[in-house]
Amino acid sequence: MIFPPALKKGDKIAICSPAGPIAAENVEGAAKVLRREGWEVVVMPHTLGKNGQYSGTDDERFDDLRTALLDPEIKAIVCSRGGYGVVHLMDRLERLPLAENPKWVVGFSDISALHAMLQSKGVASIHGSMTSHIKLGAGNEDNASLFGILRGERPAYTFPAHEYDRPGIATGTLLGGNLAVLAELINTPYDLLRPDTILFVEDIAEPIYKIERIFYQLRLSGVLANLRGLIVGQFTDYKPNENYADMESMIRDMTAPYNYPIAFGAPTGHVFHNVPLIEGAKVTLKVSPSGTNSIIFWR
């Protein structure tokens, strides 16, 4: 796994919109914060554009992302927001020499597809906050963690235990993200839902039965049985169904046959407290029978 170099004062960070359109105040606010941290900010030409439900045409969004990825002076890319649209760009992104000039790419939600692309090239990336959260400043704990990662630090997180947790300790490669986005990449070269990993998952506005369907796919393919550990993040904006009052109960039942550690309620997803996670990093997951759980990133 290739880890992009740590950022130094004066390095350039690009802000681009590879999926949905973004409000200008979010980009401007995030740019001010990043400049206060000592970095130079480059807002790509179509970052504030709009073309239907996207920030630009496929060509415009690809050109912004390609330019930022290949420019040796740009050391990190912050995606302005998610939405939908990264998948339109992946066949062309795949042809780029992404491992020759690696740089940190930051984002979540639909940006999970971009993380999957980078993993296929062996490049680590950051599942973390985008412009609407970065504009809150370095005083926010998740932003402070993100900026620390960009500067070369490796975080350790703790979060409360959950009644459905399965205690244990596991060490392995951390992969995951938005489950619906990643499920669409199964059996492609960008499939992140792999055995022998510590998988983290989250989602928004997906019915329980649709997430259950994905878990069945992972069970039937053998992935679910052969994980090293599972981190269940935040599933938001859905309704109970006739079988389950919440998503966590369904995931508890789907994973009941397995013995690896499982931590529920991790602070990752479409929520205010969304810790930055390094895709492709080696981590140790500790799930306690009581008290707190932890995710520790190795150097």
Side-chain angles (χ1 to χ4, degrees):
M1 185 59 54
I2 300 168
F3 287 81
L7 271 67
K8 305 182 295 296
K9 186 176 182 180
D11 280 345
K12 290 183 180 179
I13 296 178
I15 300 178
C16 67
S17 300
I22 186 69
E25 57 265 27
N26 288 336
V27 172
E28 292 162 1
K32 289 179 181 178
V33 170
L34 295 172
R35 291 185 186 110
R36 285 200 296 267
E37 291 299 301
W39 296 309
E40 183 178 341
V41 177
V42 179
V43 178
M44 302 307 291
H46 302 98
T47 298
L48 299 177
K50 190 174 191 314
N51 182 57
Q53 72 179 82
Y54 311 112
S55 66
T57 65
D58 290 359
D59 286 344
E60 289 169 341
R61 290 180 288 126
F62 174 71
D63 285 345
D64 277 4
L65 200 51
R66 176 184 59 188
T67 300
L69 285 166
L70 299 183
D71 186 341
E73 293 189 358
I74 291 176
K75 304 302 182 182
I77 299 170
V78 171
C79 297
S80 70
R81 60 158 291 185
Y84 171 70
V86 171
V87 71
H88 300 166
L89 316 177
M90 291 180 70
D91 56 347
R92 287 188 282 179
L93 289 172
E94 197 276 334
R95 304 183 193 121
L96 300 179
L98 301 178
E100 293 181 9
N101 181 28
K103 57 200 66 185
W104 288 113
V105 174
V106 183
F108 72 106
S109 190
D110 193 58
I111 309 305
S112 293
L114 187 51
H115 294 313
M117 166 64 66
L118 290 163
Q119 283 297 308
S120 76
K121 301 291 188 178
V123 179
S125 56
I126 302 171
H127 180 280
S129 298
M130 297 182 282
T131 56
S132 64
H133 197 91
I134 290 173
K135 72 178 183 180
L136 299 177
N140 174 268
E141 62 178 319
D142 296 331
N143 288 340
S145 295
L146 172 60
F147 301 158
I149 293 171
L150 292 175
R151 292 184 173 109
E153 299 173 7
R154 294 292 179 266
Y157 303 122
T158 60
F159 53 97
H162 189 282
E163 61 178 315
Y164 296 158
D165 285 348
R166 181 179 299 128
I169 299 175
T171 294
T173 300
L174 183 70
L175 293 173
N178 183 269
L179 188 55
V181 172
L182 296 179
E184 296 301 323
L185 299 175
I186 290 173
N187 288 331
T188 74
Y190 322 112
D191 189 349
L192 278 194
L193 301 174
R194 310 171 190 165
D196 202 35
T197 63
I198 295 177
L199 177 66
F200 72 95
V201 294
E202 59 83 23
D203 220 316
I204 183 170
E206 292 290 344
I208 293 174
Y209 82 90
K210 288 192 175 182
I211 298 299
E212 183 183 46
R213 179 184 290 158
I214 297 170
F215 268 84
Y216 264 107
Q217 201 282 343
L218 297 178
R219 174 184 283 187
L220 295 172
S221 67
V223 170
L224 199 58
N226 292 290
L227 295 175
R228 293 196 180 189
L230 178 63
I231 299 169
V232 181
Q234 302 298 308
F235 286 79
T236 54
D237 293 357
Y238 68 91
K239 296 179 181 178
N241 67 17
E242 294 179 350
N243 295 97
Y244 291 105
D246 53 60
M247 196 75 73
E248 289 75 15
S249 299
M250 180 275 293
I251 296 174
R252 174 202 59 195
D253 289 353
M254 286 296 304
T255 55
Y258 313 121
N259 296 319
Y260 47 76
I262 303 176
F264 284 82
T268 181
H270 292 71
V271 287
F272 182 79
H273 184 24
N274 178 30
V275 298
L277 299 172
I278 306 172
E279 301 262 10
K282 191 173 184 180
V283 301
T284 295
L285 169 66
K286 296 182 179 181
V287 184
S288 171
S290 61
T292 59
N293 299 325
S294 63
I295 304 170
I296 302 166
F297 285 81
W298 290 38
R299 287 193 173 274

